[in-house]
């Protein structure tokens, strides 16, 4: 992975629509593109991560002018990808958020977030959501080859919860037909690791990324090519009937295992 450094004149993005999934008002992304290279993400074709070297300084200039609202860290690319271990930009952003007493929501796949427990534990309103697509190491290896294992991510959830951090699990994206049989086990595992909620979002198949994803299916799940063609025939997201079925199942499992199915 290559790294490129830039500076920015503006850093905070304002969310103009209602963010029903993550409950955010602002987003900040210290890294553009991602070394994790998940195959369902546009970043999977990139070999360069762009690092915003003045992110913390620019953020400090902008935050006094913001109305209070939840700041999402890592809305597009993982804020705890390997570069963070060296450059600590995400940690710097957290320190500013703590100083100005803003609520925040961190989205990541990485146990590296545990490094920053000293900051997280002293913030008034902080949510952490750890995402995964499967409990299976085999499935994870196919779609998320460079990402910490599912068990490591669930262990991170448990450690954060036991330390008093408000934490949940994101099944993002839901990979149709690949993980349908795992849904209850995923919710059960999240509950066992003391998550407070499970949220989910369906796989988008759009533009060039669609063909790249279908190529992976062809190599690993050839029997699913035709079902995917039918499922995504009319849109970049699955047919509404499929979405409705999965939504109902996840809601049922969350109720069974006493978890919220939205951010609590």
């Amino acid at each position: 992975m290559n790294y490129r450094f830039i500076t920015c004149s503006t850093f905070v993005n304002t969310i103009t629509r209602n963010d029903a999934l993550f409950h955010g008002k602002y987003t900040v992304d210290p890294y553009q593109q991602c070394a994790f290279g998940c195959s369902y993400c546009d970043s999977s074709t990139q070999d360069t991560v762009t690092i915003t070297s003045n992110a913390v300084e620019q953020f400090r200039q902008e935050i006094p002018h913001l109305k209070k609202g939840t700041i999402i860290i890592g809305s597009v690319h993982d804020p705890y990808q390997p570069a963070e271990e060296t450059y600590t930009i995400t940690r710097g952003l957290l320190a500013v958020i703590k100083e100005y007493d803003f609520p925040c929501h961190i989205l990541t796949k990485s146990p590296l977030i545990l490094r920053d427990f000293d900051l997280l534990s002293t913030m008034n309103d902080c949510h952490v959501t750890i995402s995964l697509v499967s409990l299976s190491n085999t499935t994870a290896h196919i779609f998320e080859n460079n990402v910490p294992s599912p068990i490591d991510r669930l262990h991170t959830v448990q450690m954060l919860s036991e330390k008093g951090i408000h934490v949940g699990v994101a099944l993002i994206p839901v990979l149709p037909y690949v993980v349908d049989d795992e849904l209850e086990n995923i919710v059960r595992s999240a509950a066992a690791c003391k998550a407070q909620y499970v949220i989910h979002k369906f796989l988008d198949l759009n533009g060039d990324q669609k063909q790249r994803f279908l190529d992976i299916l062809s190599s690993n799940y050839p029997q699913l090519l035709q079902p995917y063609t039918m499922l995504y025939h009319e849109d970049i997201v699955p047919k509404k009937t499929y979405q409705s079925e999965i939504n109902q199942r996840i809601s049922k499992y969350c109720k069974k295992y006493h978890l919220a199915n939205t951010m609590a």
Side-chain angles (χ1 to χ4, degrees):
M1 184 61 64
N2 301 309
Y3 294 98
R4 179 173 72 98
F5 294 87
I6 63 169
T7 58
C8 66
S9 57
T10 60
F11 184 62
V12 179
N13 296 305
T14 300
I15 299 173
T16 57
R17 53 178 170 72
N18 177 42
D19 181 12
L21 187 62
F22 299 130
H23 298 188
K25 185 174 179 63
Y26 308 101
T27 66
V28 292
D29 282 280
Y31 307 102
Q32 301 299 318
Q33 309 304 332
C34 184
F36 285 153
C38 301
S39 62
Y40 45 77
C41 176
D42 289 339
S43 297
S44 63
T45 63
Q46 304 296 323
D47 62 0
T48 300
V49 171
T50 299
I51 300 172
T52 307
S53 57
N54 70 327
V56 177
E57 293 80 4
Q58 183 62 35
F59 186 41
R60 185 176 292 279
Q61 290 182 30
E62 294 178 37
I63 195 170
H65 306 288
L66 302 179
K67 294 181 179 179
K68 280 292 174 70
T70 298
I71 299 172
I72 297 177
I73 305 179
S75 65
V76 181
H77 301 111
D78 202 301
Y80 284 99
Q81 60 179 286
E84 172 61 18
E85 192 163 6
T86 300
Y87 300 107
T88 67
I89 297 175
T90 298
R91 181 173 175 84
L93 299 176
L94 286 174
V96 175
I97 290 172
K98 176 188 172 184
E99 179 181 344
Y100 283 87
D101 196 27
F102 268 65
C104 76
H105 182 190
I106 305 162
L107 311 175
T108 185
K109 296 178 172 73
S110 175
L112 181 57
I113 192 173
L114 295 171
R115 177 202 65 188
D116 294 337
F117 168 70
D118 59 323
L119 288 172
L120 302 177
S121 63
T122 56
M123 298 173 77
N124 286 331
D125 188 356
C126 177
H127 286 66
V128 176
T129 300
I130 306 293
S131 65
L132 49 77
V133 296
S134 172
L135 300 178
S136 162
N137 286 329
T138 300
T139 304
H141 181 76
I142 292 170
F143 296 103
E144 302 178 326
N145 188 34
N146 299 317
V147 183
S149 70
I151 191 65
D152 285 344
R153 282 179 264 176
L154 288 173
H155 182 61
T156 300
V157 171
Q158 183 163 350
M159 291 188 70
L160 288 170
S161 183
E162 289 177 348
K163 291 177 180 293
I165 306 300
H166 200 91
V167 61
V169 169
L171 180 55
I172 296 180
V174 175
L175 302 177
Y177 307 139
V178 176
V179 297
D180 292 25
D181 292 341
E182 286 191 64
L183 294 177
E184 182 169 5
N185 283 339
I186 290 171
V187 175
R188 182 193 296 118
S189 297
C193 291
K194 303 180 181 179
Q196 278 85 51
Y197 57 88
V198 171
I199 58 177
H200 69 283
K201 183 177 183 293
F202 293 93
L203 172 70
D204 290 349
L205 288 180
N206 193 21
D208 294 340
Q209 185 61 23
K210 179 175 183 178
Q211 189 56 54
R212 289 193 292 269
F213 187 85
L214 292 179
D215 287 344
I216 292 171
L217 281 186
S218 179
S219 298
N220 297 277
Y221 302 92
Q223 74 279 10
L224 295 183
L225 275 177
Q226 184 59 30
Y228 262 75
T229 299
M230 297 176 62
L231 190 63
Y232 284 87
H233 175 65
E234 299 173 345
D235 204 342
I236 65 171
V237 294
K239 289 182 177 180
K240 290 183 178 179
T241 52
Y242 175 83
Q243 291 191 47
S244 178
E245 176 193 346
I246 297 301
N247 289 341
Q248 289 176 27
R249 288 179 59 191
I250 291 176
S251 178
K252 180 179 72 173
Y253 299 144
C254 284
K255 184 176 182 180
K256 178 178 179 179
Y257 295 103
H258 309 291
L259 292 173
N261 64 354
T262 62
M263 277 186 58

